[in-house]
Amino acid sequence: MEEALKEFSTWGPRLVDLGTNLLVALLILIIGWWVSSLLGGWVRRAASRSSKIDPTIIPMFYSTVVWTVRIFTVIAVLARFGVQTASLIAVLGAAGLAVGLALQGTLQNIAAGIMLLILRPIRAGEYVALSSGSDGTVEEVGLFLTRLVQVDGIHLTLPNSTVWNATITNYSRNKTRRLDIPVPVRYGDDLGVVLAKLKTLVDANPDALKDPEPQVKVFDYKENGIIVNVRVWAEASKYWDLRWGLYQQIRSALEEAGFQPPIPLREIQNPKTGAAA
């Protein structure tokens, strides 16, 4: 019995210290995780309210703040158990180098994400098309991935390196866009009347900008008719409304005025008689 008491008196304080360290470490971990989420949320809200901060970089700011606090929290927890943080940092550095060599593609995505945020060829809310065949409205440029929302509501997630290495066509960066509509006119129709009617129709459209002035000009001659080009500028947000509206109005207005669309004609000759069939 006396030996058991001696053993307990020897191990008791150690167990108490271990339990205390576990409790304190758990408390540090919980508080650190809570503080990281709190600071991340505060940074996101503050950045969202500022007109000087591009919305595209807000997710990266949030992730950086959150994981910086969490890494320091884990180091503090390990230090509570007597782990030498200097040695730990050296080990983490060596491990980071090894992981970096193994994950070169991931590092390329990080580097591409940083370049996208610095040079900003795309921003949140802009509609873009990539030479890889993807297109959509930019929702987020993260540390590893870029998220697009296509016109049919489908979310598209791409590695940052894919976006960075592609040719980017940005349809939203400029405030205005030009619309060109080819209108075929039959040979023999009064071209002057057609041009005047199209000019009147375009000038009356509220979505068509007056500066630059709309242009209605003869553009080309085809086998089956003359091509008249209707060139008009619109605000980027109203481009598709103007396009859809003009395509319908032009055809309806010309048909009401008695102008029918050209019909392709082909002459087939009989090889025996040489006469047209």
Side-chain angles (χ1 to χ4, degrees), residues 15-27:
L15 291 175
V16 172
D17 290 342
L18 179 61
T20 303
N21 285 335
L22 284 174
L23 183 61
V24 173
L26 182 61
L27 189 61

Side-chain angles (χ1 to χ4, degrees), residues 3-19:
E3 292 181 2
L5 290 174
K6 288 180 180 180
E7 288 248 350
F8 179 77
S9 62
T10 302
W11 289 97
R14 297 181 181 179
L15 291 175
V16 172
D17 290 342
L18 179 61

Side-chain angles (χ1 to χ4, degrees), residues 60 108-118 141-143 160-161:
M60 184 173 287
Q108 288 178 358
N109 289 328
I110 295 176
I114 294 173
M115 295 304 296
L116 287 172
L117 292 174
I118 293 176
V141 178
L143 193 59
N160 287 337
S161 58

Side-chain angles (χ1 to χ4, degrees), residues 67-160:
W67 285 105
T68 299
V69 175
R70 289 180 180 179
I71 288 173
F72 278 107
T73 299
V74 172
I75 292 176
V77 169
L78 294 176
R80 185 68 192 178
F81 291 100
V83 177
Q84 295 294 326
T85 54
S87 301
L88 178 63
I89 293 174
V91 171
L92 289 176
L97 179 61
V99 171
L101 293 174
L103 300 176
Q104 294 183 24
T106 302
L107 293 179
Q108 288 178 358
N109 289 328
I110 295 176
I114 294 173
M115 295 304 296
L116 287 172
L117 292 174
I118 293 176
L119 300 179
R120 298 194 294 180
I122 61 175
R123 297 174 184 171
E126 293 182 336
Y127 183 83
V128 298
L130 308 179
S131 57
S132 59
S134 305
D135 64 272
T137 302
V138 180
E139 184 179 71
E140 176 187 339
V141 178
L143 193 59
F144 301 98
L145 302 170
T146 298
R147 293 181 175 85
L148 305 178
V149 180
Q150 295 180 318
V151 292
D152 54 2
I154 296 177
H155 283 249
L156 190 63
T157 303
L158 301 170
N160 287 337

